[in-house]
Amino acid sequence: MNPERDAAGLRAAIEQARLGRDEGGVPIGAALVADDGTVLGAGHNRRVQLNSAIRHGETDALENAGRLPASVYARSTMYTTLSPCDMCTGAILLYGIPRVVIGENRTFVGGEDYLRSRGVEVVNLDWEECVELMKDFIAAHPEVWNEDIGED
């Protein structure tokens, strides 16, 4: 664990979350970062912007990283501002990403336990900035948030 690298990775994800918010979308960002600190791909939830069913922050980061060899995923960390949902948890497992660092899980708890049960290291930094981004969005747009997590 490298606290400076984790802070830098989460800052990259937060920058993406702010972009999403500023575009009128759900403020969740993610960054796939190699062990040497290189950002391989960063993205944000663009379900609203693209009228997409699957463009969450993590899936957008993976899409923006492009096709990578399994060995690259195996030496990377997924940074995300919010606990990953079941879909994003599945993508993390599919590509064998061994470590996930989340900004917070107070507003939503996703597949953290499942990730851990499959051997993935999960670190929750619990940053207030991430909590506030989500709290503000959920209060202002509850219908979009519910749609994003598959609830009515």
Side-chain angles (χ1 to χ4, degrees), residues 82-102:
L82 184 65
S83 181
C85 73
D86 289 341
M87 177 177 65
C88 296
T89 293
I92 290 162
L93 293 171
L94 176 68
Y95 291 107
I97 298 167
R99 188 165 185 268
V100 177
V101 175
I102 63 175

Side-chain angles (χ1 to χ4, degrees), residues 2-134:
N2 182 325
E4 290 175 15
R5 185 172 297 149
D6 284 349
L10 189 55
R11 279 195 296 274
I14 290 170
E15 180 180 315
Q16 289 292 315
R18 288 185 184 137
L19 283 173
R21 177 199 61 201
D22 295 347
E23 293 171 354
V26 181
I28 301 171
L32 182 65
V33 180
D35 281 349
D36 68 1
T38 302
V39 176
L40 302 169
H44 53 278
N45 186 306
R46 298 195 304 158
R47 290 185 72 248
V48 172
Q49 300 92 312
L50 298 178
N51 195 32
S52 169
I54 61 168
R55 270 305 174 82
H56 282 189
E58 298 90 338
T59 57
D60 196 48
L62 289 167
E63 178 70 17
N64 291 332
R67 294 173 57 198
L68 299 171
S71 60
V72 174
Y73 294 115
R75 294 187 315 270
S76 64
T77 297
M78 178 65 78
Y79 292 89
T80 179
T81 57
L82 184 65
S83 181
C85 73
D86 289 341
M87 177 177 65
C88 296
T89 293
I92 290 162
L93 293 171
L94 176 68
Y95 291 107
I97 298 167
R99 188 165 185 268
V100 177
V101 175
I102 63 175
E104 67 103 351
N105 68 358
R106 286 188 252 164
T107 59
F108 176 81
V109 177
E112 296 171 44
D113 288 340
Y114 187 54
L115 287 168
R116 286 186 191 98
S117 78
R118 297 284 304 270
V120 175
E121 178 187 0
V122 178
V123 177
N124 180 7
L125 296 181
D126 195 33
W127 282 14
E128 193 62 36
E129 182 175 4
C130 296
V131 174
E132 291 306 315
L133 275 168
M134 286 312 301

